[in-house]
Amino acid sequence: MPRYAANLSMLFQEHDFLDRFDAAGRAGFRFIEYMFPYPYDAAELRDRLDRNGQRQVLFNLPAGDWAGGDRGIAVQPGREDEFRAGVQQALTYADVLYKGAKGPKLVNVLVGKAEGDEATTRKTVVGNLQYAADALADAGLTLIVEPLNPYDVPGFYLYGTQGALDLIDEIGRDNVKLQYDVYHMQRVEGRLTQTVREHLDRIAHIQLADVPGRHQPGTGEINYPFLMAELDCLGYGGYVGLEYIPEGRTEDTLGWLKTLQNA
């Protein structure tokens, strides 16, 4: 059975962020992910994890000015120093959040919206992610690259599984893997089961939400019981992050998960 992680950037939004750890704990979650730890003190985040017996499994590199429209800066020429400073900031947080952890220790990168010509953009993103991969490797961390979809994030540089795998090949580092977000990939390409069958060895993390609406499984078109059973049959050893927008209270949207776990 896949190990499910509560994404606290999306779930339990009826609570202040730091209180979401406790809410997730009461709902039975022992694995936690979220986008950005940086507004909070790393020791405070770790305390929230520890008091609920939880393990951090993923967070993102800094992504620039999120409120201003940035969705990552790895592709943007002229911001290399800012990107590298973000990598170092992430390492500082990882040292606290992942200290003593066993199993995958993941840092996700959103590469950002493309600006400028393709040759310069490609050189910039490859160089930045090589730098990030090398720095994370020294700390025993895995860098995961996440493609999105053009409907939710117009102008994003990386759409679809194959484009992400091609970029990972060009980066050429063993500790760079794919984050496979089922919601984004259903919107951009479909073929979910076939893709995980073909590329499971390159997928380090999976996230989910249903289509349309990005709500909990069972509200849309994706056959989640089949897909999760397939991951189990394939021997997927990573985590599945619940990165969906709850319809109502988060606790009231978890029936699908209880059904799968009791199947």
Side-chain angles (χ1 to χ4, degrees):
M1 176 66 65
R3 295 173 291 179
Y4 293 95
N7 187 299
L8 300 188
S9 298
M10 304 287 277
L11 303 185
F12 303 103
Q13 292 192 43
E14 55 271 30
H15 303 281
D16 291 337
F17 180 78
L18 290 175
D19 294 331
R20 295 176 194 175
F21 292 83
D22 297 341
R26 291 192 296 271
F29 288 103
R30 294 296 172 259
F31 306 110
I32 299 296
E33 64 177 50
Y34 43 80
M35 293 180 69
F36 305 116
Y38 312 109
Y40 306 95
D41 181 76
E44 174 65 16
L45 295 171
R46 181 59 191 256
D47 178 69
R48 298 286 175 141
L49 292 165
D50 287 345
R51 76 188 196 185
N52 286 290
Q54 294 163 333
R55 180 188 304 171
Q56 182 89 31
V57 300
L58 175 147
F59 65 90
N60 287 9
L61 288 178
D65 181 5
W66 192 266
D70 282 339
R71 291 299 181 265
I73 60 173
V75 298
Q76 296 182 9
R79 300 181 74 174
E80 290 88 349
D81 289 346
E82 182 183 353
F83 178 82
R84 293 184 177 205
V87 171
Q88 295 305 315
Q89 185 181 21
L91 286 170
T92 299
Y93 274 81
D95 186 57
V96 176
L97 296 175
Y98 287 140
K99 186 175 182 179
K102 298 179 180 179
K105 295 183 288 186
L106 307 175
V107 178
N108 185 54
V109 60
L110 298 171
V111 297
K113 299 176 182 178
E115 298 180 1
D117 66 273
E118 169 60 22
T120 302
T121 297
R122 191 71 171 190
K123 181 179 179 181
T124 300
V125 68
V126 170
N128 277 334
L129 296 191
Q130 286 175 334
Y131 171 86
D134 291 342
L136 294 176
D138 290 340
L141 304 171
T142 297
L143 179 68
I144 54 175
V145 178
E146 182 180 11
L148 303 181
N149 77 76
Y151 311 106
D152 288 17
V153 192
F156 196 74
Y157 181 71
L158 204 56
Y159 298 133
T161 303
Q162 193 57 54
L165 293 176
D166 290 344
L167 177 60
I168 291 169
D169 287 340
E170 195 167 346
I171 295 164
R173 301 294 191 270
D174 291 339
N175 68 319
V176 183
K177 302 291 184 180
L178 176 69
Q179 177 171 187
Y180 189 74
D181 188 309
V182 173
Y183 167 78
H184 287 295
M185 294 305 97
Q186 175 69 2
R187 294 211 70 189
V188 76
E189 66 189 19
R191 301 174 63 252
L192 302 176
T193 301
Q194 185 172 346
T195 299
V196 296
R197 286 173 177 171
E198 291 176 356
H199 301 296
L200 191 66
D201 61 328
R202 306 191 68 181
I203 295 172
H205 192 71
I206 291 171
Q207 291 179 329
L208 60 76
D210 220 329
V211 177
R214 203 172 186 174
H215 301 305
Q216 63 269 21
T219 60
E221 66 194 25
I222 300 175
N223 186 345
Y224 271 107
F226 179 85
L227 184 60
M228 294 300 102
E230 183 68 13
L231 287 177
D232 202 27
C233 290
L234 293 170
Y236 174 65
Y239 299 94
V240 175
L242 279 57
E243 196 187 44
Y244 64 78
I245 302 168
E247 288 189 315
R249 293 175 66 254
T250 297
E251 292 88 346
D252 296 335
T253 70
L254 298 173
W256 66 274
L257 180 57
K258 295 175 183 178
T259 298
L260 288 182
Q261 291 175 329
N262 293 329

